[in-house]
Structures are given as structure tokens and as C-alpha cells.
Amino acid sequence: MTTTSRRAPSGERAARKRAAIVRAAQQQFLERGFGAGMDHIATEAGVSKVTVYNHFASKEELFTEVVTDALEQALGQTVYALHERLRTGDDLRDILTATARKWVEGIAQPEVLALRALITSEARRFPELGRAWRKQGPDRFAEPLAAALSARDDLDIPHMELAIIQFYALVLYPHIVHSAYGDRLDPQFTDDLITTGVDMFLRYYQRH
């Protein structure tokens, strides 16, 4: 049964079961890796294996939902806040700094980092998992950031996609890289990376 031909159960009771399946799947994936069995996930969720497959056609689809749910909890409010700050504020430095702080706070959560590590290990076999991470993570911020940066008369950014990646590299990626080695940057160092990274970015692209 494919995802296009399958109609997932609906209604309040089905929504509760779906949420229980996603919670159980996250726990099982983090404990056992992508090899976690659907039987174990069903048992942990308190439902039958048939119920799991009624909601999710495959383990890859379920894992994608786990990633989507985790990133929504970690970054959903940050995306909303970014849109609000861009709509009501005019100090771009403050907006970028506040957004970056919330990014790091969300991405640095142990379960989110663990899911990313699992995605990295499975990306060759299941590239769609990596695409799901990018879609629900960095890509959600790219469009509003690009629009805000393009609207600035005091900035000159000839290659917006490159600039967005450079911004991520300055304020976000160091934390992901260090976490891959089991390390975590202390709060003051984290804030220094963010504030100086924002300054470096704006200074580099300042129109002369």
C-alpha cells in the first residue's frame, strides 16, 4: 500500500494514537537506531502493528514524521517569532541575534542532535531522511531571511543562497559539529559565537 493510495485514520481517537506512535517511535529510534522494529514501536505505543501501518506506510515515513515533530517542537516557535520580528522590528542585528539564539537552543536539545546523528548515519541508504531534516530545519528559515536581507538598502548580497549558508556556518553549525564529537559549547562561548557571527556577516555584506 502506497502513501498516495492510503487514507490515514482521522478523528480525535486516531490523532491520539498517531501521537503515541510518533512518541514511541522517537524513543525506539534513539535507543535502537533505524533498525528499531515496528513491533517494538507498536508495543511501546500500546497499539497493534496493523494500527502503526494504518497511519504510516513504512518505517521511513514514520521516521520522517518523528523528525518533523521533533523539529517543530524545537524550532516552530522560533520560525513564528522570526516572522513577527521581521514584521514589527527594524533592527536587523537584533533580529538575527535573537533568532540565532533560539536556533541553537532548539537544535542543541539532546534528542534533536541524536536524531540528526541518526539521519547522518542513514542518509546514504535513505536520502529522503536528510531532505526531511533540511525541509523542517534550515530551509524553513531561508525564505524569510532572504526576503529580509534583500529588502535592506545597506546590504549588498549578490548570491543570497551562499550568504544564507554562510550565516548558518557562523552562528549554528559550530554547535552541530561539536555535538557530533560528544562536546557541547558553554553558554558564554555560544553567545560570543552568535553575536560576533552576526556582526561579521553584516559587516562583510555592508554596502560601501
Side-chain angles (χ1 to χ4, degrees), residues 42-55:
T43 300
E44 187 68 29
V47 301
S48 70
K49 190 174 177 180
V50 171
T51 299
V52 175
Y53 278 110
N54 283 339
H55 285 271

Side-chain angles (χ1 to χ4, degrees), residues 18-20 22-24 26 65-79 102-103 105-107 109 111-112 115 136-137 140-141:
R18 185 180 179 91
V22 172
R23 287 194 302 271
Q26 178 176 331
E65 182 67 16
V66 168
V67 171
T68 300
D69 182 70
L71 287 176
E72 176 59 31
Q73 292 188 44
L75 299 175
Q77 284 298 316
T78 305
V79 174
K102 287 298 184 181
W103 275 352
E105 182 182 322
I107 290 294
Q109 295 177 30
E111 62 274 17
V112 177
L115 284 172
Q136 297 300 324
R140 296 177 71 184
F141 294 90

Side-chain angles (χ1 to χ4, degrees), residues 24-64:
Q26 178 176 331
Q27 179 180 336
Q28 289 295 306
F29 284 136
L30 292 180
E31 289 180 1
R32 302 168 182 264
F34 194 70
M38 297 292 258
D39 310 59
H40 290 106
I41 292 170
T43 300
E44 187 68 29
V47 301
S48 70
K49 190 174 177 180
V50 171
T51 299
V52 175
Y53 278 110
N54 283 339
H55 285 271
F56 303 98
S58 66
K59 189 191 295 187
E60 292 83 0
E61 184 180 327
L62 175 54
F63 188 82
T64 299

Side-chain angles (χ1 to χ4, degrees), residues 71-87 95 98-100 102-103 106-107 134-145 168:
L71 287 176
E72 176 59 31
Q73 292 188 44
L75 299 175
Q77 284 298 316
T78 305
V79 174
Y80 174 78
L82 171 61
H83 282 281
E84 283 300 295
R85 290 187 184 106
L86 290 173
R87 185 178 65 83
I95 292 170
T99 300
K102 287 298 184 181
W103 275 352
I107 290 294
R134 292 194 303 274
K135 180 180 178 181
Q136 297 300 324
D139 288 357
R140 296 177 71 184
F141 294 90
E143 185 177 342
L145 280 176
Y168 292 162

